[in-house]
Amino acid sequence: MARWLLVLLLMSPFLPMTHAATDEQPLKFDTKVNTVLGDYDVMKERRVIRVLIPYSKTFYFIDNRGTQRGIMVELMQQFDKQINKGLKPSKKTHLLFIPTARDQLIPQLIAGRGDIIAANLTITPEREKLVDFSAPLAKNVREVVIASGKAPELTTAESLSGKSLFVNPSTSYISSIVTLNKSLTEKQLPPAIVIKAPGNFEPEDILEMVNANLADYTVVDRYLAILWKQIYPNIVVYENITLRDDGSIALAMRKNSPLLKAQLDKFTASHKIGTSFGNQQVYKYLRNTKWVKDARSEEEINKFNQVTEIFRKYGAQYNVDWLLMAAQGYQESRLDQSVRSKSGAIGVMQVLPTTGKELKVGDISLIDPNINAGVKYIRFMRDRYFADEPMSDMNKMLFTFASYNAGPAKIARLRKEATKNGLDPNIWFNNVERIAQLRIGNETVQYVSNIFKYYIAYQLIMEQIKARKAELPVAASTAE
């Protein structure tokens, strides 16, 4: 089997990935068997253990050479070595990594579409009702509050009263915030507000947004905060404000799996955080992280306000979400009409003069025609390449942005490859995005990701503006 096809198989959540930590050719499994239950003896008989793992900059990702990397990947590759030590190739049991959205980890495990969850899961009473856990990889894990460098300073947990916390609702941080809010309510204080991050956002994605002042506050495990603080210098880690201080992180498995649990418990004892291996891996993956620019500084917000009405106008004219177009404008030029690229692209939307003439919108050196051209061109690309595709409106725009950056023909090829490898060709995030990362590198993936992050930020900004307007009548009444 060709090497490139093996690499693509690594990335499919439906097809077998590849075995971990071995140079052998991968076994051929029946790809139609999606649901298999049973303990470690069944896995040994099938010679495969399926590891459910979130696609993440920290825990699991595919590098430009198609290699699986991440803290949990290398951890489970060590588990592969443990269970296969001294065995002949014909007797080895192979690990298959199955990238899975965080909110689907436990449902997929229970359904028999995976055997182990390797995802930095905190043991909670709610989760223990559903799955069993190995001996902890880490104990006494503290969940601490993180703030943007420009967010109002906090002194105690009570300072979070009325503040907004940006978190993934599938994490244990939600239950910690619920506990905090019960305490605040007992003290007759307004609760903290949970802003739910998109399901594909991992903790480091949220920290990246906080670092760029795209969100004010969040909650993460302390060790993640300390590690990512080295990459994101603008975050403020409130080590004195702890929402949980006795957390234990472990691998998860289906209930009634004593044989598998015995293997995992033996393994975690020698590979947990605090051991030489655990400490080395924790610090290994803090390189080459790109920052999202600060889209919420006073200067940038002024730019945003100036162009808001123009984006609204052309968003309505071409039936395109104006916030998405503003987000693309920020990614292209930081909403700066004076920007000129080496290729000759002009203004907020970085439109080429030849494209401007073809679009017949006027002088693109002026901000209004420039934004007109950018929105019109995106609408043209969307209609030409994705109008009849069975996608959500959001995905049509994400694919349009990807096509704008990499070219529609290339994106079409990536979608075909995604289909061949069990990924959804009509969903960008965590599907075609993964093939794009493999085939064309970081640029397009980061381009689309940044636009989406700016879009989320702008949505939060608009919500805050609406909230302030809603409070005005109350303030006026009080003044009277």
Side-chain angles (χ1 to χ4, degrees):
M1 187 180 291
R3 177 177 172 81
W4 66 266
L5 182 55
L6 296 181
V7 170
L8 291 178
L9 287 176
L10 297 178
M11 302 170 65
S12 167
F14 305 108
L15 300 178
M17 301 299 159
T18 189
H19 50 285
T22 174
D23 294 326
E24 300 171 15
Q25 290 294 313
L27 299 172
K28 294 181 180 180
F29 298 102
D30 183 358
T31 60
K32 295 181 181 179
V33 178
N34 292 320
T35 300
V36 180
L37 301 171
D39 200 352
Y40 183 59
D41 55 342
V42 176
M43 299 171 201
K44 286 183 66 178
E45 182 179 352
R46 295 181 67 240
R47 298 179 58 205
V48 57
I49 299 176
R50 300 159 298 166
V51 181
L52 303 175
I53 192 166
Y55 194 64
S56 156
K57 295 174 186 176
T58 305
F59 305 119
Y60 172 88
F61 61 92
I62 305 292
D63 70 12
N64 288 335
R65 297 181 179 179
T67 302
Q68 298 177 109
R69 297 195 181 280
I71 292 176
M72 288 298 173
V73 170
E74 297 208 18
L75 179 75
M76 298 312 295
Q77 286 174 340
Q78 292 298 312
F79 180 63
D80 176 278
K81 291 180 178 180
Q82 172 183 292
I83 62 175
N84 289 311
K85 185 176 181 180
L87 296 179
K88 295 180 179 180
S90 61
K91 298 294 184 181
K92 288 184 177 181
T93 300
H94 302 283
L95 299 191
L96 308 179
F97 293 113
I98 305 179
T100 305
R102 189 164 287 274
D103 62 352
Q104 289 300 308
L105 290 169
I106 291 178
Q108 293 296 312
L109 179 72
I110 294 173
R113 296 188 179 91
D115 302 305
I116 297 172
I117 297 175
N120 194 52
L121 282 187
T122 298
I123 300 173
T124 65
E126 295 82 5
R127 288 171 174 167
E128 286 184 304
K129 293 177 182 178
L130 302 173
V131 300
D132 283 340
F133 287 93
S134 69
L137 286 164
K139 292 183 178 180
N140 300 317
V141 176
R142 296 166 55 197
E143 294 177 1
V144 298
V145 175
I146 311 299
S148 153
K150 296 185 179 180
E153 184 177 356
L154 304 174
T155 54
T156 65
E158 292 181 2
S159 303
L160 288 169
S161 173
K163 302 291 194 306
S164 296
L165 290 161
F166 191 54
V167 295
N168 187 322
S170 300
T171 62
S172 62
Y173 309 137
I174 289 292
S175 62
S176 299
I177 296 172
V178 169
T179 300
L180 167 68
N181 282 340
K182 287 181 180 178
S183 174
L184 292 174
T185 300
E186 290 173 356
K187 297 175 182 178
Q188 298 184 333
L189 293 172
I193 301 164
V194 173
I195 299 179
K196 295 181 180 180
N200 60 299
F201 276 35
E202 284 291 298
E204 67 270 26
D205 295 314
I206 294 175
L207 289 175
E208 184 178 14
M209 293 186 70
V210 173
N211 178 74
N213 298 312
L214 302 180
D216 288 331
Y217 304 98
T218 190
V219 181
V220 299
D221 293 345
R222 177 183 176 274
Y223 83 94
L224 285 175
I226 298 301
L227 294 176
W228 282 94
K229 173 69 174 175
Q230 300 175 54
I231 300 298
Y232 300 141
N234 294 327
I235 63 174
V236 178
V237 180
Y238 284 101
E239 294 196 54
N240 62 315
I241 302 180
T242 303
L243 300 194
R244 187 196 301 265
D245 58 14
D246 60 350
S248 292
I249 293 171
L251 302 168
M253 71 211 83
R254 280 186 299 278
K255 284 192 170 295
N256 302 315
S257 303
L259 300 177
L260 180 59
K261 178 172 171 55
Q263 290 290 333
L264 291 175
D265 287 351
K266 175 184 175 183
F267 171 72
T268 56
S270 57
H271 290 79
K272 61 188 176 181
I273 293 178
T275 65
S276 176
F277 174 84
N279 291 342
Q280 288 174 7
Q281 296 311 303
V282 163
Y283 286 95
K284 187 173 183 178
Y285 291 93
L286 299 176
R287 300 191 298 269
N288 301 325
T289 304
K290 294 184 178 180
W291 290 280
V292 176
K293 299 294 183 179
D294 181 354
R296 286 182 63 186
S297 69
E298 183 176 352
E299 179 183 354
E300 302 305 326
I301 293 300
N302 287 337
K303 288 182 188 177
F304 181 66
N305 291 334
Q306 291 169 11
V307 300
T308 291
E309 292 307 315
I310 303 175
F311 277 112
R312 282 183 185 272
K313 178 173 64 173
Y314 292 116
Q317 180 173 328
Y318 299 111
N319 195 26
V320 178
D321 189 326
W322 71 271
L323 278 175
L324 265 176
M325 297 313 303
Q328 188 198 17
Y330 190 89
Q331 171 64 19
E332 289 287 349
S333 69
R334 302 298 179 258
L335 302 178
D336 188 346
Q337 181 60 20
S338 68
V339 170
R340 301 291 187 271
S341 74
K342 293 180 181 180
S343 64
I346 293 173
V348 170
M349 304 305 287
Q350 287 294 280
V351 180
L352 290 169
T354 52
T355 303
K357 289 181 181 179
E358 292 173 0
L359 293 171
K360 298 179 181 179
V361 295
D363 184 0
I364 62 169
S365 66
L366 302 176
I367 190 169
D368 188 290
N370 189 280
I371 293 175
N372 185 355
V375 179
K376 185 176 182 179
Y377 189 58
I378 287 293
R379 179 71 210 200
F380 163 77
M381 292 189 71
R382 180 185 182 277
D383 290 347
R384 179 168 182 174
Y385 299 107
F386 303 105
D388 298 325
E389 297 294 323
M391 300 175 177
S392 67
D393 289 340
M394 173 63 79
N395 273 293
K396 287 181 180 181
M397 291 305 299
L398 294 175
F399 277 101
T400 300
F401 291 135
S403 299
Y404 182 89
N405 182 262
K410 189 172 292 184
I411 296 303
R413 290 196 297 270
L414 297 178
R415 291 180 66 206
K416 289 180 180 178
E417 290 194 20
T419 301
K420 291 178 181 178
N421 292 281
L423 296 166
D424 193 327
N426 300 312
I427 296 177
W428 175 257
F429 287 126
N430 208 28
N431 283 271
V432 178
E433 175 190 43
R434 299 218 303 266
I435 304 295
Q437 175 77 44
L438 173 67
R439 286 300 189 201
I440 58 180
N442 289 327
E443 181 181 345
T444 300
V445 170
Q446 194 69 40
Y447 181 82
V448 177
S449 176
N450 282 355
I451 290 173
F452 186 65
K453 288 177 182 178
Y454 296 138
Y455 175 59
I456 295 295
Y458 291 154
Q459 280 187 318
L460 297 178
I461 291 169
M462 297 310 295
E463 290 175 5
Q464 292 170 7
I465 291 173
K466 289 179 181 178
R468 284 197 294 269
K469 287 182 177 179
E471 292 173 357
L472 286 177
V474 176
S477 175
T478 301
E480 291 176 357

